[in-house]
Amino acid sequence: MLSAYRAYHLQRLSMIQRAWFLPLFAGLGVISWIAIATCEPPANDSGYRSSTHFMLIGEMPANTALRGTAQYDPMPGQHGCPYHHPQLHLDTRPSDLPQTFSFEVPLAWHLPDCTLQLSEVDFVTEGFYGAGYAQRSSTTSGAIAVRDALQKGVPGFPESGEKEYRGICSWQTYTQPDGQNLQSLLTCHAANRQWTLISDQRRPRRPGGAVSRNELAGKTIRMTFRMAEAS
């Protein structure tokens, strides 16, 4: 059985180094660590996380893994900020059983002469199939955008302090041009409370939405993913 775990790390990476399966080299000036999500990572000379945060919790179906990436951008008027902005990776390992996850996401990151604030958390879901999970397919599976002000009509947090977004994932199988090998493609789309797909201009939407920065501290966002029922 493949085991599940919760881990995250902060990195300064160029675009070509962002793939989560690449090794991290200290000689390239990468700042990284791995820590249990419920533990407080130690401060260091390179900066420290803010005490204000929100909880990102959720559920993933069997044979999948979630990669969340929290983006941090300089506050207006900041000087001395790094060209490559830090990122916080919120990753789970694949499991052959449904799994839950829980991450504490800071709202800001403090560096010498620079404060960066959370701007977005985006998600990629990987699905695994085949003998020994040797084959995989990944898909963009939504985002949480942090805004200073919400557009008219966008709801804030309910009184419970928890906002939920839902996603339905499904597999499509197709045959390669040689007619020999079967491949599977994973997709994930937004769902409502009844687990019906949400469409925008006749196209399925991605899970997630916009939240107000002023409301976010101390709140909980739940991302719940399920596999579509086989027809």
Side-chain angles (χ1 to χ4, degrees):
M1 178 185 298
L2 296 173
S3 62
Y5 87 122
R6 306 181 205 132
Y8 60 72
H9 55 283
L10 184 76
Q11 302 175 324
R12 295 181 191 168
L13 299 176
S14 66
M15 291 298 292
I16 196 171
Q17 292 172 304
R18 288 180 60 186
W20 64 313
F21 49 84
L22 294 179
L24 307 179
F25 296 96
L28 296 177
V30 176
I31 302 171
S32 66
W33 61 81
I34 301 292
I36 299 300
T38 55
C39 295
E40 192 74 17
N44 56 43
D45 293 337
S46 300
Y48 60 95
R49 56 185 290 168
S50 67
S51 59
T52 55
H53 64 273
F54 78 92
M55 295 302 301
L56 176 66
I57 65 176
E59 304 171 21
M60 296 298 297
N63 307 325
T64 66
L66 181 71
R67 173 177 168 81
T69 303
Q71 311 280 355
Y72 291 84
D73 294 330
M75 296 179 64
Q78 292 289 300
H79 302 284
C81 295
Y83 179 75
H84 298 299
H85 301 159
Q87 297 176 338
L88 184 66
H89 291 307
L90 314 161
D91 301 338
T92 69
R93 287 192 183 275
S95 172
D96 57 0
L97 294 173
Q99 60 176 309
T100 61
F101 59 86
S102 176
F103 298 106
E104 186 178 287
V105 185
L107 301 189
W109 191 262
H110 301 281
L111 298 173
D113 303 317
C114 177
T115 297
L116 303 105
Q117 58 186 1
L118 180 67
S119 59
E120 185 174 89
V121 183
D122 55 56
F123 302 100
V124 171
T125 297
E126 279 209 320
F128 300 83
Y129 65 101
Y133 299 99
Q135 295 170 284
R136 67 179 65 187
S137 174
S138 62
T139 182
T140 300
S141 52
I144 298 167
V146 182
R147 300 286 183 255
D148 292 327
L150 297 179
Q151 293 182 354
K152 185 177 181 180
V154 177
F157 278 86
E159 292 185 3
S160 65
E162 178 176 307
K163 181 185 282 282
E164 183 184 26
Y165 298 107
R166 295 184 172 189
I168 296 180
C169 301
S170 59
W171 290 101
Q172 287 82 42
T173 301
Y174 62 95
T175 304
Q176 288 188 322
D178 58 14
Q180 303 270 331
N181 298 319
L182 290 177
Q183 296 289 324
S184 293
L185 180 67
L186 181 69
T187 59
C188 297
H189 296 112
N192 58 22
R193 299 292 297 177
Q194 291 72 42
W195 290 100
T196 302
L197 289 180
I198 302 174
S199 297
D200 238 348
Q201 296 179 346
R202 299 183 180 180
R203 293 184 179 181
R205 285 172 45 187
R206 298 294 185 185
V211 295
S212 171
R213 188 183 312 279
N214 295 331
E215 286 189 288
L216 195 50
K219 298 299 195 303
T220 298
I221 295 179
R222 180 184 296 272
M223 299 290 296
T224 306
F225 290 91
R226 289 184 182 179
M227 295 301 296
E229 296 182 2
S231 55

